């Protein structure tokens, strides 16, 4: 298990997620932090990005003269297109998501349980606006579900919990959790800490109400 002296910022975390995506993968990036991952994918990875509003071959976020108001991702952020990009009907896009054709989806979350349950569409608060979008389709259709989120709330409560208290998006679907303080692998019935940032394994274990396991050397993925 490795560690760094500083917590990761959003862009550093996005770069880490991008580096972990296997070459040749078909990937969907959820709204919020996950959209940053597109900016850090390397051409030699040959990763094909899918966006649920109907596109394959999405490139990094568009800036300056690259911005085309008709070319956006599902979060309405202007994006670029890579050679060979294709566009299709919304129903076809969801067929890709539901049909098991995506290797990885990267989603944000309000909570993730130790068993891989995902809660990311509603906090249950009376004044909150539910926003499920295609998250349920992605959570059940992608072969691997990675979550990007801050590890603790503003009140210091862990978002990686024993059981989710918010309405679920998917059950047992999350395989990895990338946070500003650690990367967690959810496997073999446990929560394995792959690496930490600005904290130690012992400090994390003291602040979280779930058992943690040190990831074995040589088995970091």
């Amino acid at each position: 298990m490795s560690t760094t002296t500083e917590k990761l910022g959003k862009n550093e975390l996005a770069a880490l997620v991008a580096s972990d995506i296997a070459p040749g993968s078909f990937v969907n990036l959820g709204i919020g932090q996950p959209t940053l991952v597109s900016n850090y994918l390397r051409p030699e990875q040959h990763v094909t990005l899918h966006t649920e509003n109907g596109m394959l071959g999405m490139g990094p976020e568009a800036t300056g003269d690259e911005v085309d108001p008709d070319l956006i991702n599902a979060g309405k952020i202007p994006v670029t297109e890579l050679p060979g990009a294709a566009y299709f009907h919304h129903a076809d896009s969801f067929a890709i998501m539901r049909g098991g054709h995506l290797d990885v989806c990267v989603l944000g979350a309000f909570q993730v349980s130790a068993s891989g349950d995902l809660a990311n569409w509603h906090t249950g608060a009376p004044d909150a606006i539910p926003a499920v979008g295609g998250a349920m389709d992605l959570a059940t259709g992608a072969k691997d579900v990675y979550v990007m989120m801050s590890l603790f709330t503003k009140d210091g409560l862990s978002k990686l919990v024993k059981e989710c208290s918010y309405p679920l998006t998917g059950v047992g679907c999350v395989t990895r959790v990338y946070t500003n303080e650690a990367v967690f692998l959810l496997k073999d019935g446990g929560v394995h800490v792959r690496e930490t940032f600005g904290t130690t394994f012992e400090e994390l274990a003291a602040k979280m109400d779930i058992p943690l396991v040190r990831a074995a050397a040589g088995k970091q993925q």
Side-chain angles (χ1 to χ4, degrees):
M1 190 182 77
S2 61
T3 186
T4 64
T5 57
E6 299 291 336
K7 296 178 183 178
L8 295 190
K10 291 181 180 179
N11 287 294
E12 293 170 309
L13 192 59
L16 177 59
V17 174
S19 69
D20 279 353
I21 294 174
S25 295
F26 286 82
V27 179
N28 181 286
L29 304 177
I31 295 171
Q33 283 193 50
T35 61
L36 296 172
V37 173
S38 67
N39 298 330
Y40 297 95
L41 291 167
R42 304 182 308 277
E44 59 268 25
Q45 286 178 271
H46 299 291
V47 169
T48 302
L49 292 181
H50 165 273
T51 178
E52 64 203 60
N53 52 323
M55 181 182 180
L56 272 176
M58 182 179 73
E61 182 178 341
T63 58
D65 294 338
E66 295 177 327
V67 174
D68 178 346
D70 291 324
L71 189 58
I72 59 174
N73 63 19
K76 299 182 181 179
I77 296 173
V79 294
T80 55
E81 59 183 356
L82 299 180
Y87 306 93
F88 33 82
H89 192 278
H90 209 74
D92 295 325
S93 185
F94 270 70
I96 290 173
M97 294 155 59
R98 295 170 180 170
H101 303 291
L102 295 176
D103 296 299
V104 176
C105 72
V106 186
L107 300 172
F110 297 127
Q111 288 178 331
V112 176
S113 79
S115 59
D117 298 341
L118 171 66
N120 78 341
W121 70 279
H122 194 20
T123 63
D127 58 345
I129 300 174
V132 66
M136 290 183 179
D137 307 89
L138 290 166
T140 58
K143 295 169 186 172
D144 272 309
V145 177
Y146 297 172
V147 162
M148 287 178 67
M149 66 181 187
S150 56
L151 183 54
F152 296 100
T153 67
K154 293 180 180 179
D155 297 327
L157 299 176
S158 175
K159 297 181 185 179
L160 186 53
V161 296
K162 184 177 181 181
E163 294 182 358
C164 294
S165 58
Y166 296 148
L168 293 184
T169 307
V171 176
C173 56
V174 179
T175 52
R176 298 188 192 183
V177 180
Y178 291 82
T179 77
N180 54 330
E181 298 195 33
V183 174
F184 302 91
L185 310 179
L186 307 186
K187 60 178 184 176
D188 304 327
V191 179
H192 298 247
V193 182
R194 191 182 80 174
E195 54 194 309
T196 62
F197 316 115
T199 188
T200 65
F201 177 89
E202 291 76 16
E203 289 169 337
L204 280 181
K207 293 189 290 184
M208 299 176 67
D209 194 27
I210 54 174
L212 301 178
V213 180
R214 293 178 188 268
K219 296 182 179 180
Q220 302 298 298
Q221 299 303 318

